[in-house]
Amino acid sequence: MYSDKGAAFQGQAGRAAAIETGTKLYVSNLDYGVSNDDIKELFSEVGDLKRYAIHYDWTGRSKGTAEVVFSRKADAMAAVKRYNNVQLDGKPMKIEIVGTNIATPAAPTVANVAFGSSNGAPR
Protein backbone atom coordinates (compact mmCIF):
# COMPACT_ATOMS: atom_id res chain seq x y z
CA MET A 1 0.00 0.00 0.00
CA TYR A 2 2.84 2.42 0.80
CA SER A 3 4.54 1.84 -2.55
CA ASP A 4 1.25 2.54 -4.35
CA LYS A 5 1.09 5.98 -2.75
CA GLY A 6 4.64 6.64 -3.87
CA ALA A 7 3.77 5.63 -7.42
CA ALA A 8 0.71 7.89 -7.35
CA PHE A 9 2.83 10.77 -6.09
CA GLN A 10 5.41 10.22 -8.83
CA GLY A 11 2.62 10.17 -11.41
CA GLN A 12 1.27 13.47 -10.11
CA ALA A 13 4.73 15.02 -10.23
CA GLY A 14 5.09 13.87 -13.83
CA ARG A 15 1.78 15.49 -14.75
CA ALA A 16 2.74 18.74 -13.02
CA ALA A 17 5.99 18.89 -14.95
CA ALA A 18 4.13 18.26 -18.21
CA ILE A 19 1.74 21.13 -17.52
CA GLU A 20 4.62 23.56 -17.05
CA THR A 21 6.11 23.05 -20.51
CA GLY A 22 5.07 25.01 -23.55
CA THR A 23 4.01 28.61 -23.99
CA LYS A 24 0.68 29.77 -22.64
CA LEU A 25 -1.55 32.43 -24.16
CA TYR A 26 -4.34 34.21 -22.33
CA VAL A 27 -7.15 35.12 -24.70
CA SER A 28 -9.74 37.65 -23.55
CA ASN A 29 -12.66 39.69 -24.92
CA LEU A 30 -14.19 36.56 -26.43
CA ASP A 31 -17.84 36.45 -27.37
CA TYR A 32 -19.74 34.31 -24.87
CA GLY A 33 -20.76 31.94 -27.68
CA VAL A 34 -17.18 30.95 -28.56
CA SER A 35 -16.62 27.26 -27.73
CA ASN A 36 -13.61 25.05 -27.01
CA ASP A 37 -13.98 23.63 -30.52
CA ASP A 38 -13.79 27.16 -31.96
CA ILE A 39 -10.58 27.83 -30.01
CA LYS A 40 -9.08 24.52 -31.14
CA GLU A 41 -9.98 25.11 -34.77
CA LEU A 42 -8.62 28.66 -34.82
CA PHE A 43 -5.34 28.20 -32.94
CA SER A 44 -4.40 24.77 -34.29
CA GLU A 45 -3.98 26.44 -37.69
CA VAL A 46 -0.87 28.15 -36.26
CA GLY A 47 0.84 25.20 -34.56
CA ASP A 48 0.69 22.19 -32.27
CA LEU A 49 -1.56 22.76 -29.24
CA LYS A 50 -0.77 21.08 -25.92
CA ARG A 51 -4.10 22.16 -24.42
CA TYR A 52 -6.79 24.80 -24.65
CA ALA A 53 -9.81 25.73 -22.57
CA ILE A 54 -12.53 28.34 -22.37
CA HIS A 55 -12.95 29.62 -18.79
CA TYR A 56 -16.45 29.17 -17.34
CA ASP A 57 -18.05 30.54 -14.18
CA TRP A 58 -19.78 28.34 -11.61
CA THR A 59 -23.07 28.49 -13.56
CA GLY A 60 -21.44 27.15 -16.73
CA ARG A 61 -21.48 30.50 -18.54
CA SER A 62 -18.36 31.53 -20.44
CA LYS A 63 -16.25 34.24 -18.80
CA GLY A 64 -15.16 35.44 -22.25
CA THR A 65 -11.58 34.26 -21.67
CA ALA A 66 -9.54 31.22 -22.64
CA GLU A 67 -6.15 29.64 -22.20
CA VAL A 68 -4.20 28.16 -25.11
CA VAL A 69 -0.88 26.35 -24.63
CA PHE A 70 1.38 25.77 -27.61
CA SER A 71 4.19 23.21 -27.69
CA ARG A 72 6.55 25.74 -29.30
CA LYS A 73 7.12 29.35 -28.29
CA ALA A 74 7.48 30.39 -31.96
CA ASP A 75 3.95 29.13 -32.66
CA ALA A 76 2.56 31.04 -29.68
CA MET A 77 4.25 34.23 -30.85
CA ALA A 78 2.92 33.67 -34.38
CA ALA A 79 -0.61 33.24 -32.95
CA VAL A 80 -0.33 36.56 -31.10
CA LYS A 81 0.81 38.32 -34.27
CA ARG A 82 -1.87 36.67 -36.37
CA TYR A 83 -4.91 36.95 -34.07
CA ASN A 84 -4.39 39.77 -31.55
CA ASN A 85 -7.15 42.39 -32.13
CA VAL A 86 -8.71 40.21 -34.86
CA GLN A 87 -12.47 39.91 -34.58
CA LEU A 88 -13.95 36.55 -33.68
CA ASP A 89 -17.76 36.49 -33.70
CA GLY A 90 -17.80 40.30 -33.80
CA LYS A 91 -15.39 41.00 -30.92
CA PRO A 92 -11.64 41.74 -31.20
CA MET A 93 -9.64 39.12 -29.30
CA LYS A 94 -6.97 40.31 -26.88
CA ILE A 95 -4.09 37.84 -26.68
CA GLU A 96 -1.16 37.89 -24.26
CA ILE A 97 1.73 35.51 -23.68
CA VAL A 98 1.56 34.60 -20.00
CA GLY A 99 3.82 31.60 -19.58
CA THR A 100 6.89 30.13 -21.15
CA ASN A 101 9.46 27.54 -20.18
CA ILE A 102 12.21 30.16 -19.89
CA ALA A 103 14.71 29.35 -17.14
CA THR A 104 15.18 32.04 -14.52
CA PRO A 105 18.65 32.73 -13.14
CA ALA A 106 19.40 31.28 -9.72
CA ALA A 107 19.76 33.62 -6.78
CA PRO A 108 23.35 34.19 -5.67
CA THR A 109 24.49 31.97 -2.82
CA VAL A 110 25.55 33.73 0.36
CA ALA A 111 27.44 31.68 2.94
CA ASN A 112 27.79 32.19 6.69
CA VAL A 113 25.10 34.82 7.14
CA ALA A 114 23.58 35.10 10.60
CA PHE A 115 20.14 36.65 10.77
CA GLY A 116 19.09 38.75 13.73
CA SER A 117 22.52 39.00 15.37
CA SER A 118 25.23 41.51 14.61
CA ASN A 119 28.02 39.37 16.08
CA GLY A 120 27.34 36.30 13.93
CA ALA A 121 26.31 34.09 16.88
CA PRO A 122 23.29 31.84 16.35
CA ARG A 123 20.07 32.77 18.10
Side-chain angles (χ1 to χ4, degrees):
M1 184 165 147
Y2 177 76
S3 62
D4 290 341
K5 287 182 182 179
F9 177 76
Q10 289 172 354
Q12 289 173 355
R15 279 193 299 263
I19 289 172
E20 293 175 349
T21 62
T23 302
K24 184 189 302 185
L25 300 181
Y26 180 76
V27 184
S28 60
N29 199 40
L30 293 172
D31 183 83
Y32 297 117
V34 174
S35 69
N36 279 322
D37 288 338
D38 296 332
I39 294 295
K40 178 184 178 183
E41 182 180 339
L42 185 69
F43 287 94
S44 64
E45 290 179 7
V46 179
D48 183 40
L49 300 179
K50 290 193 71 119
R51 60 188 163 94
Y52 53 90
I54 296 282
H55 300 142
Y56 295 96
D57 67 13
W58 64 275
T59 66
R61 183 173 185 255
S62 169
K63 292 182 174 184
T65 61
E67 168 181 301
V68 178
V69 180
F70 282 91
S71 298
R72 293 177 296 277
K73 183 177 180 181
D75 293 340
M77 293 173 70
V80 172
K81 288 179 184 176
R82 184 170 176 179
Y83 295 128
N84 191 36
N85 292 316
V86 171
Q87 289 198 6
L88 177 64
D89 292 350
K91 293 181 78 174
M93 294 181 286
K94 303 296 181 196
I95 305 174
E96 305 169 62
I97 295 179
V98 294
T100 61
N101 53 357
I102 297 172
T104 55
T109 305
V110 180
N112 297 328
V113 175
F115 294 98
S117 174
S118 61
N119 65 5
R123 290 185 187 183

